[in-house]
């Protein structure tokens, strides 16, 4: 594919040597440039990214939103495509994006569907759970928020929004061990964000969060179609939801103890 669109693709990364090449290769043949912002990798992430033709910058980690805003500022094009280091644009989505620029996109910001791919899979199942996010956009019409946890493009007023039918494969799990370590780190950030925003959480959720989250994953998100692996997926998801509430409850107990003393 020799098409070069007036689009800058950007990726934030840290210690992604096993996954970042797939991400870069999924876009590098048809975008104008690939920008990688590294926050201090101790592995070969930077070397691999440069070897694949990406332009690499260093920026000290400042939360998901600010890291992506820094990456936006390094891009030379108005049109931006964001993918994460553990994602890959599918060929169908690539062709769809290319067709948008013949001659130019009619809308300002496009949502794409990002679907889970597990370590034993090459690509996502037809029924794989996914979520919609704004990932292809004109940076004059919207930018990522400054939230340390919620890395979401915030559209400006009166912009034209649209959805693309192609998908992004999301290789989020290296292993169960990796997933547990990640959810532990991420739940810390979620709790810090909840505290900063003055959130309150009912203690009853300590009882309801796990079973409701398991039901949501196993049935509503169709994890049961994976067989026994669906049980693993659903338990992990339910625990990730529960541990966030448990950590926040612990914070409430600590604050109450300080107040009494």
């Amino acid at each position: 594919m020799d098409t070069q669109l007036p689009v800058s693709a950007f990726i934030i990364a840290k210690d992604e040597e096993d996954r970042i090449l797939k991400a870069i290769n999924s876009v590098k043949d048809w975008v104008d440039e690939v920008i990688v912002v590294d926050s201090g990798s101790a592995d070969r992430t930077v070397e691999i990214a440069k070897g694949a033709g990406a332009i690499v910058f260093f920026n000290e980690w400042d939360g998901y939103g600010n890291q992506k805003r820094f990456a936006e500022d390094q891009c030379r094009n108005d049109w931006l495509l964001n993918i994460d280091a553990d994602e890959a644009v599918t060929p169908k989505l690539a062709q769809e994006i290319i067709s948008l620029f013949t001659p130019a996109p009619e809308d300002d910001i496009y949502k794409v569907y990002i679907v889970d791919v597990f370590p034993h899979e090459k690509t996502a199942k037809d029924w794989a759970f996914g979520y919609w996010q704004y990932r292809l956009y004109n940076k004059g019409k919207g930018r990522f928020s400054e939230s340390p946890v919620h890395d979401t493009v915030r559209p400006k007023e009166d912009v034209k929004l649209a959805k693309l039918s192609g998908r992004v494969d999301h290789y989020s799990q290296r292993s169960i061990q990796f997933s547990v370590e990640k959810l532990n780190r991420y739940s810390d950030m979620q709790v810090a964000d909840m505290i900063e925003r003055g959130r309150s959480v009912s203690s009853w959720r300590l009882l309801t969060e796990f079973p409701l989250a398991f039901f949501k994953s196993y049935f509503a998100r169709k994890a049961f179609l994976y067989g026994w692996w669906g049980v693993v997926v659903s338990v992990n998801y339910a625990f990730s939801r529960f541990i966030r509430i448990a950590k926040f409850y612990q914070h409430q107990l600590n604050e109450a103890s300080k107040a009494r003393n």
Side-chain angles (χ1 to χ4, degrees):
M1 190 182 300
D2 56 5
T3 303
Q4 295 294 320
L5 305 182
V7 174
S8 297
F10 69 90
I11 303 167
I12 65 171
K14 182 179 181 182
D15 296 333
E16 296 284 356
E17 66 177 6
D18 58 325
R19 304 188 289 190
I20 196 165
L21 186 59
K22 185 187 293 289
I24 294 172
N25 284 346
S26 73
V27 298
K28 72 175 185 179
D29 291 338
W30 46 273
V31 299
D32 177 49
E33 62 175 358
V34 179
I35 301 295
V36 172
V37 175
D38 184 79
S39 54
S41 292
D43 64 5
R44 296 177 59 245
T45 297
V46 171
E47 176 188 345
I48 291 171
K50 288 181 177 179
I55 304 168
V56 180
F57 296 88
F58 169 79
N59 192 55
E60 193 73 39
W61 181 253
D62 190 26
Y64 286 97
N66 282 330
Q67 198 74 353
K68 290 194 174 183
R69 288 177 69 88
F70 176 87
E72 288 174 333
D73 291 337
Q74 312 316 310
C75 297
R76 64 187 176 210
N77 292 289
D78 290 333
W79 276 97
L80 307 182
L81 172 65
N82 172 237
I83 59 172
D84 288 339
D86 59 356
E87 296 174 349
V89 173
T90 60
K92 179 180 177 181
L93 178 58
Q95 289 293 343
E96 190 175 8
I97 293 173
I98 290 170
S99 69
L100 290 177
F101 287 84
T102 311
E106 295 180 356
D107 300 291
D108 301 313
I109 299 177
Y110 293 86
K111 275 186 175 181
V112 300
Y113 198 53
I114 302 167
V115 290
D116 289 337
V117 184
F118 297 108
H120 56 279
E121 299 176 322
K122 290 185 178 180
T123 191
K125 294 288 193 294
D126 291 340
W127 62 79
F129 170 73
Y131 54 93
W132 291 96
Q133 279 199 346
Y134 298 123
R135 290 297 190 87
L136 177 67
Y137 59 103
N138 186 317
K139 65 182 178 183
K141 304 296 185 177
R143 293 194 61 182
F144 271 89
S145 70
E146 297 178 350
S147 169
V149 179
H150 306 291
D151 55 336
T152 304
V153 173
R154 303 295 187 188
K156 295 182 179 180
E157 294 184 4
D158 301 322
V159 301
K160 293 184 288 185
L161 306 174
K163 288 183 177 180
L164 299 175
S165 60
R167 308 198 300 182
V168 170
D169 279 343
H170 186 201
Y171 301 86
S172 62
Q173 289 191 19
R174 287 185 173 105
S175 64
I176 293 174
Q177 178 184 358
F178 172 81
S179 297
V180 171
E181 292 170 351
K182 180 179 178 180
L183 71 86
N184 192 39
R185 294 193 307 270
Y186 195 70
S187 60
D188 284 345
M189 291 187 289
Q190 288 177 316
V191 170
D193 183 61
M194 292 165 68
I195 294 169
E196 183 178 348
R197 292 189 289 132
R199 289 279 305 276
S200 61
V201 174
S202 169
S203 300
W204 284 104
R205 290 182 65 178
L206 291 167
L207 287 175
T208 62
E209 196 76 7
F210 190 98
L212 290 177
F214 181 89
F215 182 91
K216 178 180 180 180
S217 176
Y218 194 70
F219 294 105
R221 295 184 175 180
K222 301 180 181 179
F224 67 89
L225 292 174
Y226 289 101
W228 287 110
W229 182 250
V231 176
V232 174
V233 170
S234 298
V235 169
N236 283 349
Y237 174 73
F239 180 71
S240 72
R241 303 297 295 176
F242 168 79
I243 200 65
R244 177 179 63 108
I245 302 301
K247 287 181 178 181
F248 189 79
Y249 178 65
Q250 176 181 254
H251 164 74
Q252 291 177 314
L253 291 178
N254 290 340
E255 292 300 303
S257 177
K258 291 177 184 178
R260 288 194 299 269
N261 296 330

